[in-house]
Amino acid sequence: MLNKFDIVTYPVDGVPQVFLVYGNNIEAGDVPTQHKDKFLQISIKGDRGDDGYTPVKGVDYFDGASGLGLTPRGEWIRNKEFYQYDMVSYNHSLWYCMENNLAEEPSDSSTVWKKIEISKQLAIGTDIPDTLEEGGLWLQLQEDGHVLMKKRTANGQFETIYPEVLADYVKDVTGQPLQKKIYQHYFERDDVKTKLSIQNNADNTSIYTSTATLLSNPEIVVAKCVTTDKLDVDGTCIEEFTCYDETGILIMYKCKRVLTENEDGSYTIVPEVII
């Protein structure tokens, strides 16, 4: 039984390749190459060469001509000789060498290096990975140690696909969303004082900030809701809701909702649980 984020191997053209499981409902018999909505290929490997020479990493840095297929050479290094069919990492992309060269920098205009086009890629970090194509996965590292998995969509934006449980989707027995219940719990407590401030900006946007502070210590904020109204500018409204512990330091729960006005006057709401 495979679970999300498992790593599996499967032969492609007779060569074992590595796949990341990122889909749901993996069934027995699902073939990674036939279910690209469930498996992401994260390896590229050519046939092993047979030149009779075993390099020593750090000493020879994998010197010697490549064998058959692509030969991984690590990161591209200036003033190092590379050979035909070498593969290097440079500027967030993979490149393969079309002819022997020295100090030729990989680029889109190069006649020596060719960028390896991968329809789906995996990026890890805090900054937006501009090189990811549609369907590429971004493991976004958070300051608090959490990790979000996002997928690049056709319009260049990123859609959060993990965590999958969104507060707006969880209902209580009365049918109210969990987020609303949490909001009411924090802002209607008997031991807090609530405050609403409104900031109207010159660019026709408005920011509404609601805070709940402890009566026993007004310096401690236990909940904050910030709504940025840009409906008159770009047709969007963004709400960020944060709950803290009783010290006002540790974030217990944080979510965001983006409301977009459609051409027919209706609205599309996209919730996202951040923490």
Side-chain angles (χ1 to χ4, degrees):
M1 177 66 180
L2 293 177
N3 299 308
K4 181 174 284 190
F5 311 132
D6 282 350
I7 299 294
V8 298
T9 58
Y10 187 81
V12 178
D13 296 329
V15 180
Q17 302 290 344
V18 182
F19 293 82
L20 169 71
V21 179
Y22 76 98
N24 295 307
N25 302 320
I26 307 298
E27 299 178 359
D30 282 350
V31 178
T33 55
Q34 298 177 359
H35 294 274
K36 295 184 178 181
D37 59 326
K38 300 179 181 180
F39 297 89
L40 173 67
Q41 184 174 337
I42 58 176
S43 69
I44 300 176
K45 183 177 181 181
D47 298 327
R48 184 173 61 184
D50 187 19
D51 58 5
Y53 174 67
T54 303
V56 179
K57 187 174 183 180
V59 178
D60 304 293
Y61 204 83
F62 291 83
D63 294 333
S66 300
L68 298 175
L70 298 180
T71 303
R73 299 291 191 179
E75 296 185 2
W76 178 80
I77 299 177
R78 191 177 301 277
N79 296 327
K80 170 178 170 56
E81 187 172 6
F82 291 96
Y83 302 90
Q84 187 179 21
Y85 303 125
D86 278 355
M87 182 178 68
V88 300
S89 171
Y90 182 69
N91 197 22
H92 306 291
S93 297
L94 292 176
W95 307 78
Y96 75 85
C97 184
M98 295 184 290
E99 61 182 69
N100 298 356
N101 73 93
L102 177 65
E104 174 74 24
E105 183 177 357
S107 69
D108 292 331
S109 60
S110 174
T111 59
V112 174
W113 292 97
K114 181 69 174 179
K115 182 186 293 186
I116 299 175
E117 301 293 343
I118 305 175
S119 60
K120 290 186 177 181
Q121 304 175 64
L122 179 66
I124 303 175
T126 57
D127 299 331
I128 296 177
D130 296 330
T131 57
L132 276 187
E133 300 179 4
E134 179 183 352
L137 297 180
W138 174 25
L139 300 184
Q140 184 184 22
L141 306 181
Q142 307 294 297
E143 293 182 355
D144 60 0
H146 286 78
V147 178
L148 302 181
M149 175 177 280
K150 298 186 176 183
K151 179 176 67 174
R152 189 148 210 164
T153 59
N155 62 3
Q157 302 300 312
F158 284 92
E159 171 190 7
T160 300
I161 60 176
Y162 184 84
E164 297 174 295
V165 180
L166 304 179
D168 263 13
Y169 295 160
V170 182
K171 310 290 183 178
D172 64 8
V173 292
T174 67
Q176 292 191 4
L178 177 61
Q179 181 182 354
K180 183 176 181 180
K181 300 288 287 186
I182 295 176
Y183 182 95
Q184 291 176 337
H185 169 72
Y186 274 86
F187 279 90
E188 296 180 4
R189 287 167 45 173
D190 294 333
D191 62 341
V192 301
K193 176 181 179 180
T194 60
K195 178 182 178 181
L196 171 65
S197 63
I198 302 175
Q199 175 184 328
N200 295 316
N201 303 315
D203 59 358
N204 291 327
T205 63
S206 298
I207 299 177
Y208 303 85
T209 303
S210 300
T211 57
T213 58
L214 292 178
L215 290 175
S216 59
N217 189 345
E219 298 298 322
I220 296 180
V221 176
V222 294
K224 178 185 291 186
C225 182
V226 180
T227 303
T228 304
D229 184 354
K230 301 191 294 181
L231 290 173
D232 293 336
V233 179
D234 59 8
T236 64
C237 184
I238 303 174
E239 177 188 79
E240 292 185 284
F241 176 53
T242 307
C243 298
Y244 302 88
D245 68 349
E246 298 304 297
T247 67
I249 299 176
L250 179 63
I251 296 178
M252 305 295 293
Y253 173 73
K254 184 175 183 179
C255 64
K256 179 173 71 172
R257 295 196 305 170
V258 179
L259 181 147
T260 304
E261 184 176 9
N262 303 315
E263 293 182 357
D264 60 0
S266 63
Y267 294 92
T268 299
I269 300 177
V270 179
E272 175 184 354
V273 174
I274 300 176
I275 297 176

